[in-house]
Amino acid sequence: MNAASLGLVLLAGLIHASWNIAAKKAGGDVRFATFSSILVTLIWGPLGLWLGWHVVPTWGLLEWGLVTASGAVHVLYYIALLRGYRKSDLTVVYPLARGSGPLLTSLFAIVFFGEHLTLLGAVGIAGVVAGVFFIAGGRGMLRAAHDPARHAAIKSGIKYGLLTGVFIAAYSVVDGYAVKFVAMSPILLDYFGNLVRVALLLPAIVRDRATARAHWRAQWKYALLVAAVSPLAYVLVLYAMQMAPLSHVAPAREISMLFAALLGGQLLGERDRLARIAGAVLIAAGVMALALG
């Protein structure tokens, strides 16, 4: 990976961790995802329309199919992530989500595409497993067996973190293919994919407008922050994908786990911060080793 690609990924990682902390503090659900997506449409609309005015009319079935698939998978990702944040700590859910996406992609290729696992790859898997143990609280998870509420929260965090990782792997493949092999604009892919997200999420507000208004009054500041910066973080990654191999960019994104583990523990007051930072380091190193192996 060249220096420009790495710089884009590092900046994207810091932005990504920051908006995830905002989403965690909001404590939102599918309505929060809807608010954020609508605000993305408004904030980034002028740029999307300007860039897409002459390009979008040339899109065919393939391009629109990729946009639709991207938007749908991102909805599932966002809902799983927010539900995990409501049920567990950010420093459990976020690193597991970010670490398991590239891991699942690599394992899928090994099992179904006949790719070989090298010694370095095996070491990478071991690193991810060890990182999961630390992220989940390590020995603290065993101690949590005597605290049913704490134990349940950790288990929920692991479940939703891994589920989110599945969706991360799915949208990474779809979007990586779109920008690398179909040469779609990263900005247009993300913006028009967001319009798909709005269409899929809007019924959540329409069904219960009174509850939606109450959530909006409590969460609009967080939704505005997420809408302003989250597209920027992902577009930077998509541009990095155009300049460097996907197998290098996806693991490098895991640097965001270090930011999240550090900032999440500091800003949110979550426990076992040092253990979770150590786990994030192990997962990041393991995923990178797996990709290289």
Side-chain angles (χ1 to χ4, degrees):
M1 179 183 297
N2 58 45
S5 300
L6 180 59
L8 290 176
V9 172
L10 291 176
L11 178 57
L14 179 58
I15 296 172
H16 195 278
S18 299
W19 77 251
N20 272 264
I21 290 172
K24 166 65 176 175
K25 289 176 71 68
D29 54 11
V30 65
R31 297 175 187 86
F32 182 79
T34 309
F35 299 150
S36 301
S37 296
I38 292 173
L39 288 172
V40 166
T41 302
L42 299 176
I43 294 171
W44 294 94
L47 180 61
L49 293 174
W50 179 61
L51 293 178
W53 190 259
H54 297 292
V55 175
V56 173
T58 67
W59 283 357
L61 185 61
L62 175 60
E63 287 83 0
W64 283 112
L66 290 168
V67 165
T68 302
S70 176
V73 176
H74 273 87
V75 165
L76 297 175
Y77 151 76
Y78 207 2
I79 291 175
L81 182 70
L82 292 175
R83 186 165 297 177
Y85 286 164
R86 293 200 308 276
K87 294 180 177 293
S88 188
D89 290 348
L90 176 136
T91 45
V92 172
V93 177
Y94 187 83
L96 284 175
R98 300 310 315 170
S100 60
L103 173 63
L104 292 172
T105 302
S106 299
L107 291 179
F108 185 90
I110 292 168
V111 173
F112 294 100
F113 297 156
E115 297 184 1
H116 299 289
L117 182 65
T118 65
L119 177 60
L120 182 60
V123 170
I125 290 178
V128 171
V129 172
V132 168
F133 179 72
F134 279 104
I135 289 295
R139 288 176 296 179
M141 185 176 182
L142 301 179
R143 294 195 300 269
H146 304 292
D147 183 351
R150 181 66 181 157
H151 188 68
I154 291 175
K155 288 180 64 178
S156 293
I158 293 173
K159 178 177 70 175
Y160 283 106
L162 294 176
L163 178 61
T164 304
V166 171
F167 295 132
I168 289 173
Y171 77 61
S172 295
V173 171
V174 172
D175 295 349
Y177 178 82
V179 299
K180 287 187 73 69
F181 299 102
V182 186
M184 295 182 67
S185 162
I187 294 175
L188 293 179
L189 174 65
D190 186 68
Y191 182 75
F192 282 89
N194 180 71
L195 295 181
V196 174
R197 296 194 288 271
V198 170
L200 293 175
L201 290 167
L202 200 56
I205 288 180
V206 175
R207 280 195 300 266
D208 189 350
R209 297 180 185 179
T211 302
R213 283 193 293 270
H215 280 244
W216 169 256
R217 286 192 293 269
Q219 299 170 354
W220 72 267
K221 293 181 181 178
Y222 298 112
L224 182 61
L225 175 60
V226 171
V229 303
S230 62
L232 176 60
Y234 192 54
V235 166
L236 290 176
V237 170
L238 292 178
Y239 275 113
M241 287 181 183
Q242 287 186 325
M243 296 187 291
L246 178 60
S247 60
H248 293 181
V249 174
R253 291 187 69 195
E254 308 323 307
I255 192 66
S256 63
M257 294 186 300
L258 303 181
F259 296 132
L262 182 61
L263 295 175
Q266 181 68 31
L267 298 177
L268 302 176
E270 297 178 353
R271 293 177 286 181
D272 301 321
R273 189 193 316 166
L274 293 179
R276 290 174 181 176
I277 291 174
V281 172
L282 282 170
I283 292 177
V287 171
M288 291 181 184
L290 183 59
L292 295 174

